[in-house]
Amino acid sequence: MRQAVLNLEESKIREVANAGMGRADVLPFWFGESDEVTPEAIRAAGIASLQAGETFYSHNLGLPALRDAVAAYTSALHGGVAIDRIAITSGGVNALIVAMQALIDAGDEVVAVTPVWPNLTAQPRILGARLRCVALQPDAAGAWRLDLPALLAAITPATKMLVVNSPNNPTGWTLSKAEQQAILERCRATGTWILSDEVYERLYYAGDTASGAAPSFLDIARPDDRLVVVQSFSKAFLMTGWRLGYLVMPPDMTPQVGKLLEFNTSCAPVFVQRAAMVALAQTEAITPRIVAHLQRCRDTLVPLLQAVPGVRTSAAPGGMYAFLRIEGQDDSLSLAKRLVAEAGLGLAPGIAFGPEAEGWLRWCFASQDAARLGQGVDRLRAWLAAQA
Amino acid sequence: MRQAVLNLEESKIREVANAGMGRADVLPFWFGESDEVTPEAIRAAGIASLQAGETFYSHNLGLPALRDAVAAYTSALHGGVAIDRIAITSGGVNALIVAMQALIDAGDEVVAVTPVWPNLTAQPRILGARLRCVALQPDAAGAWRLDLPALLAAITPATKMLVVNSPNNPTGWTLSKAEQQAILERCRATGTWILSDEVYERLYYAGDTASGAAPSFLDIARPDDRLVVVQSFSKAFLMTGWRLGYLVMPPDMTPQVGKLLEFNTSCAPVFVQRAAMVALAQTEAITPRIVAHLQRCRDTLVPLLQAVPGVRTSAAPGGMYAFLRIEGQDDSLSLAKRLVAEAGLGLAPGIAFGPEAEGWLRWCFASQDAARLGQGVDRLRAWLAAQA
């Protein structure tokens, strides 16, 4: 087997979760997923398609009607995006690896902003790229910041691709429009592709954009810029298990991605795509409710955590995570395992997202019952008190 | 964009199909897909899962219950295969590329037996492998044969992987057990991995095996041999559009594939996996009927074709295609396009499957209404007569 694959780390989040698997007394906040089922209307569309017998192969790039709906949805958020820039994929993660397959040769240099969802740094390694990381840094209050000059300096003509996830999993850090502008200009100068994972864009609480969504590179880029934006139906429509996402890219790239989709998954199931069409058609009824609920969850959890002695965390502008540091706890994997075993509290260890996040813990606050968040904090507080 | 991706050919099958798209007067036999909807019981299981709200992420390797059912199904056909050798994938094509990701570094040598489904030769190119092809050859009657000594000689210690598809798309050629034994021994000697695409194994009409399925490398290999078998639910269960397949591999490889699945698609939808569990549970009721019907289709089509002056074709032991040569017609792409335009007959051009198949045409005989096959032959005969 390939050394590059053997070298890939098993997920440290799963390592913690496995330690608590099957224990009904553990409150799980470890995975990046709401505990709420996909809305009824979306499921009904998938069911109707199956009943109608839509069980055949479909277009590599996705149903034209869905691509059209995605283009309209994206245009409403970020200005004109035409259907010839859209490809439907089998999830956001699939969109990411297909985009990288299109752009990265073995040996190419990729720059990533970390800490980040581990898939984003594993995928370039699978493709044989050389990975360089630029680290976000937490401030005294626990908010994470980008050292923009350091990032701009790290991007050189040798950099084939910049990978950035904003709003960021796990920190909630979100690029500003001015930062995106500076990065885009630098990447134009160096010929670097920007692969922008914006799957949390709707889960944005700052209220400082016209659309309500987080700033997107699509707001400022030209169609022919070397920009690929990755999106997913998972977060804004509660469709994690459906495995459906999409790419927005320069029009010239779309046929190339179509070829790659044929060789990766061929197509997404039609009945899944039909469900997504209803999701987009009803986004006004579905997404604001989800976002408002997540904001309530964040605004419930973060103040409770901040009131726990020794805990440092900050209400992030985007995403569905609280990212926290507990004074004196420097080994996040062992801490997360102890919290499962001794407190019945399931969190993700920061080290899973990069060395700069060691000592931190990720808490997914996408909980249908916000009271569970308070119960979790009570467990943390009691456990910490017992350590003193 | 990567030169390796730009170099990938667009599908010549699609090129022909696009020429006939939307024309109700064309009889389409170009794609490798039955025109029959997935059986009701399988669809009902998917629907029930959606109604029950199974819309969340699942295990990277697949639901343990489905992996267990796949292991039992495979064991019934080919002897003991344990669950720790099974991974569920988002289609057979996804199984193939994930297996290649696990095993092939850029620059590695891959040997493929051709003509073959173009995905099998495109995927190594995407991964930067050096591809060498060993060509099957047609005999005077139109049956395709392997030059076994030539293949064994082509496999050297420098060969990282052999890719073989048997029963073969497009020719229907099928490896014998003795040929598999010789190939396995050679690959053991050279340390070469065998990636065996056996998705047509149930579509086997020779009746010379105990299971009824085509000979499989699983019949003769040890669990720790460097053998990866690719399977799909598409053919034996009429589930093309569901995008579900699986890998059978050495137990040590399974956790590595689990990591790669996380980074490719994360998992297959649970509701799709539930449908597959019903497919396997009811395979005795579902698959023999499908296979018997396909055999009737083959035995309807091939004699009709053989009776057309100038046509050379042979009833293949496996698969769902007739592969035919028309005397004096050496440019299969232009021929296929003319047949669409002038005869209303949609076939796939041989050149799509490799240069050795130039001049040939692939005819998918998976037709719910076998009378359509006769209508197609009538159109071919009339068109040929008009050329004379």
Side-chain angles (χ1 to χ4, degrees):
Chain A
M1 268 168 284
R2 292 175 62 204
Q3 195 57 47
V5 173
L6 295 171
N7 289 350
L8 294 172
E9 286 195 332
E10 298 261 7
S11 165
K12 293 201 174 77
I13 307 171
R14 293 230 177 224
E15 190 176 334
V16 173
N18 287 343
M21 206 80 91
R23 279 187 49 192
D25 61 329
V26 174
L27 288 172
F29 303 105
W30 35 43
F31 293 134
E33 181 175 42
S34 171
D35 58 353
E36 190 174 341
V37 169
T38 307
E40 170 69 26
I42 298 174
R43 288 186 286 140
I47 289 168
S49 174
L50 280 170
Q51 284 168 336
E54 294 190 318
T55 60
F56 299 100
Y57 289 128
S58 175
H59 306 66
N60 296 136
L61 288 170
L63 294 174
L66 176 58
R67 295 174 67 207
D68 204 43
V70 166
Y73 170 84
T74 308
S75 296
L77 290 172
H78 304 299
V81 170
I83 186 174
D84 66 355
R85 299 180 61 194
I86 306 293
I88 307 299
T89 63
S90 298
V93 68
N94 186 243
L96 283 164
I97 201 158
V98 168
M100 291 190 203
Q101 269 182 13
L103 299 172
I104 301 176
D105 276 300
D108 281 347
E109 179 186 286
V110 172
V111 169
V113 178
T114 54
V116 77
W117 188 44
N119 295 36
L120 279 177
T121 45
Q123 290 172 327
R125 290 191 182 106
I126 291 171
L127 300 178
R130 290 174 297 116
L131 186 68
R132 294 174 50 213
C133 295
V134 174
L136 303 170
Q137 298 294 341
D139 67 15
W144 289 69
R145 307 287 177 200
L146 173 66
D147 181 344
L148 181 63
L151 176 60
L152 299 181
I155 299 165
T156 75
T159 309
K160 180 62 75 73
M161 176 184 278
L162 167 69
V163 179
V164 62
N165 165 228
S166 162
N168 172 262
N169 172 7
T171 65
W173 161 78
T174 302
L175 277 168
S176 69
K177 182 171 183 169
E179 287 169 328
Q180 289 179 333
Q181 192 71 57
I183 292 167
L184 177 61
E185 277 163 22
R186 177 66 185 158
C187 289
R188 281 175 176 161
T190 57
T192 298
W193 284 86
I194 300 172
L195 182 59
S196 182
D197 175 347
E198 302 184 359
V199 302
Y200 294 97
E201 69 163 355
R202 301 298 302 273
L203 281 48
Y204 186 64
Y205 318 109
D208 59 0
T209 60
S211 68
S216 166
F217 280 99
L218 293 172
D219 296 327
I220 55 170
R222 297 187 305 260
D224 63 345
D225 271 316
R226 293 187 166 188
L227 168 67
V228 180
V229 172
V230 168
Q231 274 297 351
S232 165
F233 286 88
S234 291
K235 316 300 175 190
F237 303 101
L238 301 173
M239 291 181 71
T240 46
W242 297 70
R243 315 311 307 123
L244 202 70
Y246 54 91
L247 288 164
V248 185
M249 64 200 128
D252 285 357
M253 183 172 164
T254 307
Q256 305 301 326
V257 164
K259 290 191 289 187
L260 289 172
L261 288 170
E262 168 65 24
F263 304 129
N264 275 272
T265 56
S266 290
C267 56
V270 172
F271 47 86
V272 169
Q273 296 189 63
R274 295 287 186 211
M277 286 176 63
V278 166
L280 292 177
Q282 302 194 11
T283 183
E284 292 303 325
I286 293 169
T287 308
R289 183 191 65 75
I290 293 169
V291 176
H293 176 70
L294 288 173
Q295 183 160 6
R296 275 195 302 278
C297 288
R298 182 194 70 157
D299 294 343
T300 300
L301 176 63
V302 172
L304 290 174
L305 284 173
Q306 287 171 330
V308 176
V311 169
R312 174 163 55 129
T313 192
S314 171
M320 57 188 197
Y321 309 102
F323 208 49
L324 60 141
R325 184 79 164 90
I326 300 174
E327 206 180 313
Q329 299 286 350
D330 298 328
D331 178 341
S332 61
L333 182 60
S334 123
L335 173 60
K337 286 181 174 176
R338 287 192 66 193
L339 286 171
V340 169
E342 301 169 17
L345 179 63
L347 305 181
I351 188 67
F353 306 93
E356 52 282 327
E358 177 55 305
W360 292 71
L361 295 165
R362 188 191 72 173
W363 185 315
C364 177
F365 54 68
S367 179
Q368 223 180 327
D369 173 11
R372 282 174 71 248
L373 300 167
Q375 293 163 24
V377 176
D378 290 344
R379 292 184 182 194
L380 177 64
R381 181 192 290 272
W383 184 83
L384 283 172
Q387 311 305 307
Chain B
M1 268 167 285
R2 292 176 61 205
Q3 195 56 47
V5 173
L6 295 171
N7 290 349
L8 293 172
E9 286 194 333
E10 299 261 8
S11 166
K12 293 201 176 76
I13 307 171
R14 294 233 175 220
E15 189 175 335
V16 173
N18 287 343
M21 205 79 92
R23 278 188 49 193
D25 61 328
V26 175
L27 287 172
F29 304 105
W30 34 44
F31 292 135
E33 179 175 44
S34 170
D35 58 353
E36 190 175 340
V37 169
T38 307
E40 169 70 25
I42 297 174
R43 287 185 287 141
I47 289 168
S49 175
L50 279 170
Q51 284 168 336
E54 294 190 317
T55 60
F56 299 101
Y57 289 129
S58 175
H59 306 67
N60 296 137
L61 288 169
L63 293 175
L66 176 58
R67 294 174 66 209
D68 204 43
V70 165
Y73 170 83
T74 308
S75 296
L77 291 171
H78 305 299
V81 170
I83 185 174
D84 66 354
R85 299 179 61 193
I86 306 294
I88 307 299
T89 63
S90 298
V93 68
N94 186 243
L96 284 163
I97 201 157
V98 168
M100 292 190 202
Q101 268 182 12
L103 300 172
I104 301 176
D105 275 300
D108 281 347
E109 179 187 285
V110 172
V111 169
V113 179
T114 53
V116 77
W117 188 45
N119 295 36
L120 279 178
T121 45
Q123 290 171 327
R125 291 191 182 106
I126 291 171
L127 300 177
R130 289 174 297 116
L131 185 68
R132 294 174 49 213
C133 295
V134 174
L136 302 170
Q137 298 293 342
D139 66 15
W144 289 69
R145 307 287 177 202
L146 173 66
D147 181 345
L148 182 63
L151 176 60
L152 299 182
I155 300 166
T156 75
T159 310
K160 180 61 75 72
M161 176 184 278
L162 167 69
V163 179
V164 62
N165 164 228
S166 162
N168 171 263
N169 171 7
T171 64
W173 162 77
T174 302
L175 276 168
S176 71
K177 182 170 184 168
E179 286 170 327
Q180 289 180 334
Q181 191 71 57
I183 292 167
L184 178 61
E185 278 163 22
R186 177 67 185 156
C187 288
R188 281 175 177 161
T190 57
T192 298
W193 284 85
I194 300 171
L195 182 59
S196 181
D197 175 347
E198 303 184 358
V199 303
Y200 294 97
E201 69 163 355
R202 300 299 301 272
L203 282 48
Y204 186 65
Y205 318 110
D208 59 0
T209 60
S211 68
S216 167
F217 279 99
L218 293 172
D219 296 328
I220 56 170
R222 297 187 305 261
D224 64 345
D225 272 316
R226 292 186 168 189
L227 168 68
V228 181
V229 173
V230 168
Q231 275 296 350
S232 165
F233 286 87
S234 292
K235 317 299 177 191
F237 303 101
L238 301 174
M239 291 181 70
T240 46
W242 297 71
R243 315 311 308 124
L244 201 70
Y246 53 93
L247 288 164
V248 186
M249 66 200 128
D252 285 357
M253 184 172 164
T254 308
Q256 305 302 325
V257 163
K259 290 191 290 187
L260 287 173
L261 287 170
E262 168 66 24
F263 303 129
N264 275 271
T265 56
S266 290
C267 57
V270 172
F271 47 87
V272 169
Q273 297 190 62
R274 295 287 187 211
M277 287 177 62
V278 166
L280 291 177
Q282 302 194 10
T283 183
E284 292 302 327
I286 294 169
T287 308
R289 182 191 65 74
I290 293 169
V291 176
H293 176 70
L294 289 173
Q295 183 161 6
R296 275 195 303 277
C297 289
R298 182 195 68 158
D299 294 343
T300 299
L301 176 63
V302 171
L304 290 174
L305 284 173
Q306 287 171 330
V308 176
V311 168
R312 174 162 55 128
T313 191
S314 171
M320 55 188 197
Y321 310 102
F323 207 51
L324 60 140
R325 185 77 163 92
I326 300 174
E327 207 181 313
Q329 299 286 350
D330 298 327
D331 179 342
S332 61
L333 183 59
S334 121
L335 173 60
K337 286 181 175 175
R338 286 192 65 193
L339 286 171
V340 169
E342 301 169 17
L345 178 62
L347 304 180
I351 188 66
F353 305 94
E356 52 283 325
E358 177 55 305
W360 292 71
L361 295 165
R362 188 190 73 173
W363 185 316
C364 177
F365 55 67
S367 179
Q368 221 179 330
D369 173 12
R372 282 175 70 248
L373 300 168
Q375 293 163 23
V377 176
D378 289 344
R379 292 185 181 192
L380 177 64
R381 181 191 290 271
W383 184 82
L384 283 173
Q387 312 306 307

